[in-house]
Amino acid sequence: NAGVTQTPKFQVLKTGQSMTLQCAQDMNHEYMSWYRQDPGMGLRLIHYSVGAGITDQGEVPNGYNVSRSTTEDFPLRLLSAAPSQTSVYFCASSYTRVSPPLHFGNGTRLTVT
Amino acid sequence: KNEVEQSPQNLTAQEGEFITINCSYSVGISALHWLQQHPGGGIVSLFMLSSGKKKHGRLIATINIQEKHSSLHITASHPRDSAVYICAAQNYGGSQGNLIFGKGTKLSVKP
């Protein structure tokens, strides 16, 4: 049982490059979400999805796109990376938005130079 | 003012000590979550509670809805409890249950 799988674990980008952070879960969870974690701040919600074909913005969505074509996958796309997007990114899922527990991926440490 | 405040920010304890981490929130909530982030970065969910108290092993979580306050207690602390403990409020209304996270409490338990 893999849980929530996030790739890559580490990534370095140059300003202006684009990339996709992958997130997949094998628990048939409806709710999936992306967070960023910055020093001295709590986890902040970027985008979330309550089911295949449905996505919505969180607290800090600018510069990021998501899609949810299947229940299992919820990729996060950085369209044109900026140094302000240097952060640790976590994907998480749960059965529904209000059903515990929230399962987290192991995180992606992204550096934008 | 942050909607979810944790104290202390950092906590050092000796093995065996009783530990309390506090969480205060200013929003109306449907539930309060406690999470543990390991030194390697992984995050696991410990508790979700909307009233009263929950216990799992040496960990106890309590919540006082009227006072908008929750505590996480660790009894007989051990070095393997060293981690960052995060509380998160799950709120009502427009954002429909999305979590608001505290900044975390970094716990270090010395042998």
Side-chain angles (χ1 to χ4, degrees):
Chain A
N1 190 358
V4 179
T5 302
Q6 240 184 279
T7 56
K9 288 189 178 180
F10 301 94
Q11 183 71 50
V12 178
L13 291 177
K14 292 189 188 315
T15 298
Q17 287 185 315
S18 63
M19 78 158 295
T20 299
L21 278 63
Q22 301 291 345
C23 177
Q25 51 89 12
D26 61 358
M27 297 171 282
N28 202 31
H29 286 172
E30 292 182 358
Y31 179 75
M32 296 186 75
S33 52
W34 277 103
Y35 298 91
R36 59 178 290 171
Q37 186 177 41
D38 300 296
M41 304 187 75
L43 288 156
R44 292 183 292 168
L45 182 65
I46 304 171
H47 285 283
Y48 65 96
S49 168
V50 297
I54 305 169
T55 63
D56 206 347
Q57 297 180 349
E59 181 186 354
V60 288
N62 292 342
Y64 308 95
N65 269 359
V66 292
S67 60
R68 184 95 179 268
S69 56
T70 67
T71 299
E72 294 78 20
D73 299 300
F74 190 46
L76 177 73
R77 281 180 287 276
L78 280 70
L79 308 173
S80 178
S84 61
Q85 293 178 305
T86 294
S87 187
V88 181
Y89 292 84
F90 288 95
C91 177
S93 74
S94 60
Y95 284 111
T96 68
R97 193 190 324 212
V98 295
S99 299
L102 200 57
H103 296 260
F104 284 83
N106 287 329
T108 296
R109 184 173 294 273
L110 175 68
T111 303
V112 183
T113 61
Chain B
K1 185 182 188 301
N2 293 326
E3 293 172 301
V4 178
E5 297 267 9
Q6 285 186 239
S7 62
Q9 281 188 300
N10 294 284
L11 181 55
T12 300
Q14 287 299 126
E15 183 173 356
E17 286 185 357
F18 180 85
I19 288 161
T20 296
I21 297 170
N22 297 299
C23 176
S24 297
Y25 53 91
S26 58
V27 295
I29 69 164
S30 55
L32 192 288
H33 296 251
W34 282 100
L35 309 163
Q36 179 191 55
Q37 185 167 23
H38 299 147
I43 300 173
V44 296
S45 180
L46 296 175
F47 297 104
M48 186 191 90
L49 65 167
S50 53
S51 65
K53 179 165 94 171
K54 286 191 175 180
K55 184 174 188 289
H56 182 70
R58 294 179 295 105
L59 273 59
I60 303 166
T62 64
I63 188 166
N64 185 317
I65 297 294
Q66 287 74 25
E67 294 185 4
K68 295 189 174 180
H69 182 268
S70 176
S71 294
L72 177 68
H73 305 286
I74 304 175
T75 62
S77 60
H78 190 276
R80 65 175 175 266
D81 297 325
S82 297
V84 175
Y85 293 85
I86 301 168
C87 74
Q90 190 156 25
N91 63 3
Y92 298 111
S95 61
Q96 294 177 27
N98 288 326
L99 297 176
I100 305 170
F101 291 85
K103 294 180 182 180
T105 294
K106 185 173 182 180
L107 172 65
S108 177
V109 182
K110 306 293 186 189

PDB file of all heavy atoms in Angstrom, chain A residues 31 35 37 40 42-43 45 48 90 97-98 100-102 104, chain B residues 35 37 41 43 45 48 90 95-99 101-103:
ATOM      1  N   TYR A  31     -10.499  13.635  -1.963  1.00  0.00           N
ATOM      2  CA  TYR A  31      -9.898  14.943  -1.701  1.00  0.00           C
ATOM      3  C   TYR A  31      -8.383  14.865  -1.847  1.00  0.00           C
ATOM      4  O   TYR A  31      -7.742  13.996  -1.248  1.00  0.00           O
ATOM      5  CB  TYR A  31     -10.261  15.406  -0.289  1.00  0.00           C
ATOM      6  CG  TYR A  31      -9.676  16.741   0.101  1.00  0.00           C
ATOM      7  CD1 TYR A  31     -10.201  17.920  -0.407  1.00  0.00           C
ATOM      8  CD2 TYR A  31      -8.612  16.827   0.990  1.00  0.00           C
ATOM      9  CE1 TYR A  31      -9.672  19.155  -0.052  1.00  0.00           C
ATOM     10  CE2 TYR A  31      -8.074  18.057   1.353  1.00  0.00           C
ATOM     11  CZ  TYR A  31      -8.618  19.216   0.829  1.00  0.00           C
ATOM     12  OH  TYR A  31      -8.095  20.431   1.182  1.00  0.00           O
ATOM     13  N   TYR A  35       0.185  21.790  -0.714  1.00  0.00           N
ATOM     14  CA  TYR A  35       0.589  22.813   0.247  1.00  0.00           C
ATOM     15  C   TYR A  35       2.040  23.195  -0.024  1.00  0.00           C
ATOM     16  O   TYR A  35       2.813  22.396  -0.529  1.00  0.00           O
ATOM     17  CB  TYR A  35       0.507  22.282   1.681  1.00  0.00           C
ATOM     18  CG  TYR A  35      -0.875  21.879   2.117  1.00  0.00           C
ATOM     19  CD1 TYR A  35      -1.320  20.575   1.950  1.00  0.00           C
ATOM     20  CD2 TYR A  35      -1.738  22.792   2.709  1.00  0.00           C
ATOM     21  CE1 TYR A  35      -2.583  20.189   2.358  1.00  0.00           C
ATOM     22  CE2 TYR A  35      -3.004  22.419   3.119  1.00  0.00           C
ATOM     23  CZ  TYR A  35      -3.417  21.113   2.938  1.00  0.00           C
ATOM     24  OH  TYR A  35      -4.671  20.736   3.340  1.00  0.00           O
ATOM     25  N   GLN A  37       5.377  24.768   2.250  1.00  0.00           N
ATOM     26  CA  GLN A  37       5.852  25.007   3.610  1.00  0.00           C
ATOM     27  C   GLN A  37       7.110  25.851   3.537  1.00  0.00           C
ATOM     28  O   GLN A  37       8.109  25.443   2.942  1.00  0.00           O
ATOM     29  CB  GLN A  37       6.147  23.686   4.334  1.00  0.00           C
ATOM     30  CG  GLN A  37       6.504  23.859   5.795  1.00  0.00           C
ATOM     31  CD  GLN A  37       6.722  22.542   6.500  1.00  0.00           C
ATOM     32  OE1 GLN A  37       7.325  21.617   5.958  1.00  0.00           O
ATOM     33  NE2 GLN A  37       6.214  22.420   7.729  1.00  0.00           N
ATOM     34  N   GLY A  40       9.253  29.479   9.121  1.00  0.00           N
ATOM     35  CA  GLY A  40       8.539  30.443   9.949  1.00  0.00           C
ATOM     36  C   GLY A  40       7.075  30.608   9.624  1.00  0.00           C
ATOM     37  O   GLY A  40       6.406  31.466  10.181  1.00  0.00           O
ATOM     38  N   GLY A  42       3.245  28.490   8.635  1.00  0.00           N
ATOM     39  CA  GLY A  42       2.525  27.226   8.582  1.00  0.00           C
ATOM     40  C   GLY A  42       2.332  26.761   7.151  1.00  0.00           C
ATOM     41  O   GLY A  42       2.541  27.511   6.206  1.00  0.00           O
ATOM     42  N   LEU A  43       1.934  25.528   6.996  1.00  0.00           N
ATOM     43  CA  LEU A  43       1.583  25.021   5.667  1.00  0.00           C
ATOM     44  C   LEU A  43       0.479  25.883   5.070  1.00  0.00           C
ATOM     45  O   LEU A  43      -0.488  26.234   5.760  1.00  0.00           O
ATOM     46  CB  LEU A  43       1.090  23.573   5.783  1.00  0.00           C
ATOM     47  CG  LEU A  43       2.162  22.537   6.094  1.00  0.00           C
ATOM     48  CD1 LEU A  43       1.549  21.316   6.756  1.00  0.00           C
ATOM     49  CD2 LEU A  43       2.878  22.137   4.809  1.00  0.00           C
ATOM     50  N   LEU A  45      -2.216  26.348   1.758  1.00  0.00           N
ATOM     51  CA  LEU A  45      -2.897  25.608   0.707  1.00  0.00           C
ATOM     52  C   LEU A  45      -2.747  26.324  -0.628  1.00  0.00           C
ATOM     53  O   LEU A  45      -3.049  27.514  -0.748  1.00  0.00           O
ATOM     54  CB  LEU A  45      -4.379  25.466   1.074  1.00  0.00           C
ATOM     55  CG  LEU A  45      -5.257  24.678   0.117  1.00  0.00           C
ATOM     56  CD1 LEU A  45      -4.839  23.217   0.067  1.00  0.00           C
ATOM     57  CD2 LEU A  45      -6.712  24.801   0.532  1.00  0.00           C
ATOM     58  N   TYR A  48      -6.677  22.668  -4.386  1.00  0.00           N
ATOM     59  CA  TYR A  48      -7.234  21.431  -3.909  1.00  0.00           C
ATOM     60  C   TYR A  48      -8.268  20.912  -4.896  1.00  0.00           C
ATOM     61  O   TYR A  48      -8.720  21.629  -5.799  1.00  0.00           O
ATOM     62  CB  TYR A  48      -7.840  21.581  -2.508  1.00  0.00           C
ATOM     63  CG  TYR A  48      -9.043  22.508  -2.433  1.00  0.00           C
ATOM     64  CD1 TYR A  48     -10.338  22.000  -2.483  1.00  0.00           C
ATOM     65  CD2 TYR A  48      -8.877  23.874  -2.273  1.00  0.00           C
ATOM     66  CE1 TYR A  48     -11.435  22.839  -2.398  1.00  0.00           C
ATOM     67  CE2 TYR A  48      -9.971  24.715  -2.192  1.00  0.00           C
ATOM     68  CZ  TYR A  48     -11.238  24.197  -2.251  1.00  0.00           C
ATOM     69  OH  TYR A  48     -12.329  25.026  -2.170  1.00  0.00           O
ATOM     70  N   PHE A  90       4.100  19.842  -0.369  1.00  0.00           N
ATOM     71  CA  PHE A  90       3.484  18.604   0.086  1.00  0.00           C
ATOM     72  C   PHE A  90       2.156  18.395  -0.605  1.00  0.00           C
ATOM     73  O   PHE A  90       1.343  19.306  -0.708  1.00  0.00           O
ATOM     74  CB  PHE A  90       3.242  18.635   1.601  1.00  0.00           C
ATOM     75  CG  PHE A  90       4.487  18.522   2.421  1.00  0.00           C
ATOM     76  CD1 PHE A  90       5.129  19.655   2.883  1.00  0.00           C
ATOM     77  CD2 PHE A  90       5.011  17.274   2.734  1.00  0.00           C
ATOM     78  CE1 PHE A  90       6.284  19.558   3.644  1.00  0.00           C
ATOM     79  CE2 PHE A  90       6.161  17.160   3.496  1.00  0.00           C
ATOM     80  CZ  PHE A  90       6.805  18.308   3.950  1.00  0.00           C
ATOM     81  N   ARG A  97     -13.011  16.001   2.066  1.00  0.00           N
ATOM     82  CA  ARG A  97     -12.324  17.151   2.651  1.00  0.00           C
ATOM     83  C   ARG A  97     -12.396  17.139   4.174  1.00  0.00           C
ATOM     84  O   ARG A  97     -11.498  17.626   4.850  1.00  0.00           O
ATOM     85  CB  ARG A  97     -12.912  18.446   2.112  1.00  0.00           C
ATOM     86  CG  ARG A  97     -12.039  19.641   2.450  1.00  0.00           C
ATOM     87  CD  ARG A  97     -12.694  20.965   2.151  1.00  0.00           C
ATOM     88  NE  ARG A  97     -13.505  20.932   0.966  1.00  0.00           N
ATOM     89  CZ  ARG A  97     -13.662  21.983   0.164  1.00  0.00           C
ATOM     90  NH1 ARG A  97     -13.001  23.085   0.391  1.00  0.00           N
ATOM     91  NH2 ARG A  97     -14.469  21.926  -0.869  1.00  0.00           N
ATOM     92  N   VAL A  98     -13.449  16.562   4.706  1.00  0.00           N
ATOM     93  CA  VAL A  98     -13.625  16.643   6.158  1.00  0.00           C
ATOM     94  C   VAL A  98     -13.435  15.293   6.839  1.00  0.00           C
ATOM     95  O   VAL A  98     -13.787  15.118   7.991  1.00  0.00           O
ATOM     96  CB  VAL A  98     -15.001  17.230   6.504  1.00  0.00           C
ATOM     97  CG1 VAL A  98     -15.089  18.664   6.025  1.00  0.00           C
ATOM     98  CG2 VAL A  98     -16.119  16.379   5.898  1.00  0.00           C
ATOM     99  N   PRO A 100     -10.968  12.510   8.279  1.00  0.00           N
ATOM    100  CA  PRO A 100      -9.583  12.193   8.622  1.00  0.00           C
ATOM    101  C   PRO A 100      -9.283  10.739   8.297  1.00  0.00           C
ATOM    102  O   PRO A 100     -10.210   9.969   8.067  1.00  0.00           O
ATOM    103  CB  PRO A 100      -9.555  12.419  10.133  1.00  0.00           C
ATOM    104  CG  PRO A 100     -10.964  12.085  10.562  1.00  0.00           C
ATOM    105  CD  PRO A 100     -11.846  12.509   9.431  1.00  0.00           C
ATOM    106  N   PRO A 101      -7.979  10.364   8.374  1.00  0.00           N
ATOM    107  CA  PRO A 101      -6.879  11.301   8.521  1.00  0.00           C
ATOM    108  C   PRO A 101      -6.429  11.841   7.171  1.00  0.00           C
ATOM    109  O   PRO A 101      -6.787  11.304   6.124  1.00  0.00           O
ATOM    110  CB  PRO A 101      -5.782  10.430   9.124  1.00  0.00           C
ATOM    111  CG  PRO A 101      -6.043   9.078   8.548  1.00  0.00           C
ATOM    112  CD  PRO A 101      -7.548   8.980   8.399  1.00  0.00           C
ATOM    113  N   LEU A 102      -5.647  12.903   7.236  1.00  0.00           N
ATOM    114  CA  LEU A 102      -5.043  13.456   6.040  1.00  0.00           C
ATOM    115  C   LEU A 102      -3.714  12.734   5.832  1.00  0.00           C
ATOM    116  O   LEU A 102      -2.892  12.671   6.729  1.00  0.00           O
ATOM    117  CB  LEU A 102      -4.821  14.952   6.237  1.00  0.00           C
ATOM    118  CG  LEU A 102      -4.649  15.850   5.016  1.00  0.00           C
ATOM    119  CD1 LEU A 102      -5.833  15.747   4.081  1.00  0.00           C
ATOM    120  CD2 LEU A 102      -4.445  17.284   5.462  1.00  0.00           C
ATOM    121  N   PHE A 104      -0.156  12.498   3.913  1.00  0.00           N
ATOM    122  CA  PHE A 104       0.768  13.371   3.220  1.00  0.00           C
ATOM    123  C   PHE A 104       1.800  12.577   2.427  1.00  0.00           C
ATOM    124  O   PHE A 104       2.227  11.488   2.840  1.00  0.00           O
ATOM    125  CB  PHE A 104       1.516  14.258   4.221  1.00  0.00           C
ATOM    126  CG  PHE A 104       0.706  15.390   4.765  1.00  0.00           C
ATOM    127  CD1 PHE A 104      -0.151  15.184   5.834  1.00  0.00           C
ATOM    128  CD2 PHE A 104       0.801  16.659   4.226  1.00  0.00           C
ATOM    129  CE1 PHE A 104      -0.915  16.227   6.347  1.00  0.00           C
ATOM    130  CE2 PHE A 104       0.054  17.711   4.734  1.00  0.00           C
ATOM    131  CZ  PHE A 104      -0.803  17.485   5.790  1.00  0.00           C
TER     132      PHE A 104
ATOM    133  N   LEU B  35      -0.776  17.139  13.993  1.00  0.00           N
ATOM    134  CA  LEU B  35       0.079  16.436  13.050  1.00  0.00           C
ATOM    135  C   LEU B  35       1.490  16.393  13.608  1.00  0.00           C
ATOM    136  O   LEU B  35       1.888  17.236  14.425  1.00  0.00           O
ATOM    137  CB  LEU B  35       0.099  17.157  11.690  1.00  0.00           C
ATOM    138  CG  LEU B  35      -1.265  17.493  11.077  1.00  0.00           C
ATOM    139  CD1 LEU B  35      -1.104  18.533   9.982  1.00  0.00           C
ATOM    140  CD2 LEU B  35      -1.903  16.239  10.519  1.00  0.00           C
ATOM    141  N   GLN B  37       5.532  16.181  12.263  1.00  0.00           N
ATOM    142  CA  GLN B  37       6.457  16.209  11.129  1.00  0.00           C
ATOM    143  C   GLN B  37       7.801  15.715  11.608  1.00  0.00           C
ATOM    144  O   GLN B  37       8.447  16.314  12.468  1.00  0.00           O
ATOM    145  CB  GLN B  37       6.593  17.622  10.545  1.00  0.00           C
ATOM    146  CG  GLN B  37       7.457  17.659   9.289  1.00  0.00           C
ATOM    147  CD  GLN B  37       7.343  18.960   8.532  1.00  0.00           C
ATOM    148  OE1 GLN B  37       6.976  19.989   9.082  1.00  0.00           O
ATOM    149  NE2 GLN B  37       7.658  18.931   7.244  1.00  0.00           N
ATOM    150  N   GLY B  41      11.163  15.127   7.420  1.00  0.00           N
ATOM    151  CA  GLY B  41      10.218  15.952   6.682  1.00  0.00           C
ATOM    152  C   GLY B  41       8.842  15.372   6.509  1.00  0.00           C
ATOM    153  O   GLY B  41       7.902  16.111   6.228  1.00  0.00           O
ATOM    154  N   ILE B  43       5.109  14.022   7.141  1.00  0.00           N
ATOM    155  CA  ILE B  43       4.049  14.496   8.028  1.00  0.00           C
ATOM    156  C   ILE B  43       3.018  13.386   8.200  1.00  0.00           C
ATOM    157  O   ILE B  43       2.560  12.793   7.217  1.00  0.00           O
ATOM    158  CB  ILE B  43       3.364  15.747   7.435  1.00  0.00           C
ATOM    159  CG1 ILE B  43       4.371  16.877   7.234  1.00  0.00           C
ATOM    160  CG2 ILE B  43       2.223  16.216   8.359  1.00  0.00           C
ATOM    161  CD1 ILE B  43       3.808  18.080   6.507  1.00  0.00           C
ATOM    162  N   SER B  45      -0.668  12.324  10.392  1.00  0.00           N
ATOM    163  CA  SER B  45      -1.789  12.808  11.173  1.00  0.00           C
ATOM    164  C   SER B  45      -1.852  12.043  12.487  1.00  0.00           C
ATOM    165  O   SER B  45      -1.809  10.814  12.494  1.00  0.00           O
ATOM    166  CB  SER B  45      -3.072  12.621  10.369  1.00  0.00           C
ATOM    167  OG  SER B  45      -4.187  13.070  11.077  1.00  0.00           O
ATOM    168  N   MET B  48      -7.657  13.912  15.109  1.00  0.00           N
ATOM    169  CA  MET B  48      -8.643  14.902  14.739  1.00  0.00           C
ATOM    170  C   MET B  48      -9.688  14.886  15.837  1.00  0.00           C
ATOM    171  O   MET B  48     -10.178  13.814  16.201  1.00  0.00           O
ATOM    172  CB  MET B  48      -9.321  14.612  13.407  1.00  0.00           C
ATOM    173  CG  MET B  48     -10.242  15.740  12.963  1.00  0.00           C
ATOM    174  SD  MET B  48     -11.298  15.351  11.571  1.00  0.00           S
ATOM    175  CE  MET B  48     -12.725  14.693  12.411  1.00  0.00           C
ATOM    176  N   GLN B  90      -9.801  23.165  11.213  1.00  0.00           N
ATOM    177  CA  GLN B  90     -10.645  22.899  10.046  1.00  0.00           C
ATOM    178  C   GLN B  90     -11.885  23.759  10.215  1.00  0.00           C
ATOM    179  O   GLN B  90     -12.663  23.556  11.165  1.00  0.00           O
ATOM    180  CB  GLN B  90     -11.015  21.419   9.982  1.00  0.00           C
ATOM    181  CG  GLN B  90     -11.677  21.027   8.691  1.00  0.00           C
ATOM    182  CD  GLN B  90     -11.503  19.538   8.409  1.00  0.00           C
ATOM    183  OE1 GLN B  90     -11.319  18.725   9.305  1.00  0.00           O
ATOM    184  NE2 GLN B  90     -11.544  19.173   7.150  1.00  0.00           N
ATOM    185  N   SER B  95     -14.680  28.333   2.803  1.00  0.00           N
ATOM    186  CA  SER B  95     -13.584  27.473   2.363  1.00  0.00           C
ATOM    187  C   SER B  95     -13.905  26.009   2.626  1.00  0.00           C
ATOM    188  O   SER B  95     -13.112  25.140   2.349  1.00  0.00           O
ATOM    189  CB  SER B  95     -12.286  27.871   3.049  1.00  0.00           C
ATOM    190  OG  SER B  95     -12.417  27.734   4.448  1.00  0.00           O
ATOM    191  N   GLN B  96     -15.055  25.773   3.211  1.00  0.00           N
ATOM    192  CA  GLN B  96     -15.644  24.444   3.312  1.00  0.00           C
ATOM    193  C   GLN B  96     -14.701  23.378   3.816  1.00  0.00           C
ATOM    194  O   GLN B  96     -14.532  22.332   3.193  1.00  0.00           O
ATOM    195  CB  GLN B  96     -16.234  24.044   1.958  1.00  0.00           C
ATOM    196  CG  GLN B  96     -17.408  24.925   1.576  1.00  0.00           C
ATOM    197  CD  GLN B  96     -17.945  24.587   0.207  1.00  0.00           C
ATOM    198  OE1 GLN B  96     -17.825  23.473  -0.246  1.00  0.00           O
ATOM    199  NE2 GLN B  96     -18.544  25.556  -0.440  1.00  0.00           N
ATOM    200  N   GLY B  97     -14.082  23.680   4.912  1.00  0.00           N
ATOM    201  CA  GLY B  97     -13.364  22.609   5.584  1.00  0.00           C
ATOM    202  C   GLY B  97     -11.884  22.568   5.314  1.00  0.00           C
ATOM    203  O   GLY B  97     -11.214  21.664   5.782  1.00  0.00           O
ATOM    204  N   ASN B  98     -11.346  23.524   4.568  1.00  0.00           N
ATOM    205  CA  ASN B  98      -9.899  23.506   4.386  1.00  0.00           C
ATOM    206  C   ASN B  98      -9.188  23.858   5.682  1.00  0.00           C
ATOM    207  O   ASN B  98      -9.709  24.554   6.538  1.00  0.00           O
ATOM    208  CB  ASN B  98      -9.491  24.497   3.289  1.00  0.00           C
ATOM    209  CG  ASN B  98      -9.895  24.010   1.919  1.00  0.00           C
ATOM    210  OD1 ASN B  98      -9.896  22.815   1.650  1.00  0.00           O
ATOM    211  ND2 ASN B  98     -10.262  24.930   1.054  1.00  0.00           N
ATOM    212  N   LEU B  99      -7.981  23.343   5.808  1.00  0.00           N
ATOM    213  CA  LEU B  99      -7.235  23.472   7.050  1.00  0.00           C
ATOM    214  C   LEU B  99      -6.442  24.772   7.111  1.00  0.00           C
ATOM    215  O   LEU B  99      -5.895  25.226   6.113  1.00  0.00           O
ATOM    216  CB  LEU B  99      -6.271  22.294   7.209  1.00  0.00           C
ATOM    217  CG  LEU B  99      -6.898  20.919   7.327  1.00  0.00           C
ATOM    218  CD1 LEU B  99      -5.820  19.845   7.369  1.00  0.00           C
ATOM    219  CD2 LEU B  99      -7.763  20.832   8.567  1.00  0.00           C
ATOM    220  N   PHE B 101      -3.222  26.088   9.230  1.00  0.00           N
ATOM    221  CA  PHE B 101      -2.159  25.470  10.015  1.00  0.00           C
ATOM    222  C   PHE B 101      -1.470  26.474  10.924  1.00  0.00           C
ATOM    223  O   PHE B 101      -1.257  27.636  10.551  1.00  0.00           O
ATOM    224  CB  PHE B 101      -1.102  24.866   9.087  1.00  0.00           C
ATOM    225  CG  PHE B 101      -1.583  23.673   8.319  1.00  0.00           C
ATOM    226  CD1 PHE B 101      -2.272  23.834   7.128  1.00  0.00           C
ATOM    227  CD2 PHE B 101      -1.349  22.380   8.767  1.00  0.00           C
ATOM    228  CE1 PHE B 101      -2.726  22.741   6.398  1.00  0.00           C
ATOM    229  CE2 PHE B 101      -1.787  21.285   8.049  1.00  0.00           C
ATOM    230  CZ  PHE B 101      -2.479  21.469   6.869  1.00  0.00           C
ATOM    231  N   GLY B 102      -1.082  25.999  12.117  1.00  0.00           N
ATOM    232  CA  GLY B 102      -0.165  26.746  12.949  1.00  0.00           C
ATOM    233  C   GLY B 102       1.255  26.594  12.421  1.00  0.00           C
ATOM    234  O   GLY B 102       1.510  25.796  11.504  1.00  0.00           O
ATOM    235  N   LYS B 103       2.190  27.337  13.021  1.00  0.00           N
ATOM    236  CA  LYS B 103       3.565  27.327  12.526  1.00  0.00           C
ATOM    237  C   LYS B 103       4.363  26.147  13.056  1.00  0.00           C
ATOM    238  O   LYS B 103       5.483  25.913  12.616  1.00  0.00           O
ATOM    239  CB  LYS B 103       4.270  28.635  12.903  1.00  0.00           C
ATOM    240  CG  LYS B 103       3.683  29.850  12.213  1.00  0.00           C
ATOM    241  CD  LYS B 103       4.413  31.122  12.613  1.00  0.00           C
ATOM    242  CE  LYS B 103       3.768  32.332  11.929  1.00  0.00           C
ATOM    243  NZ  LYS B 103       4.461  33.597  12.296  1.00  0.00           N
TER     244      LYS B 103
END
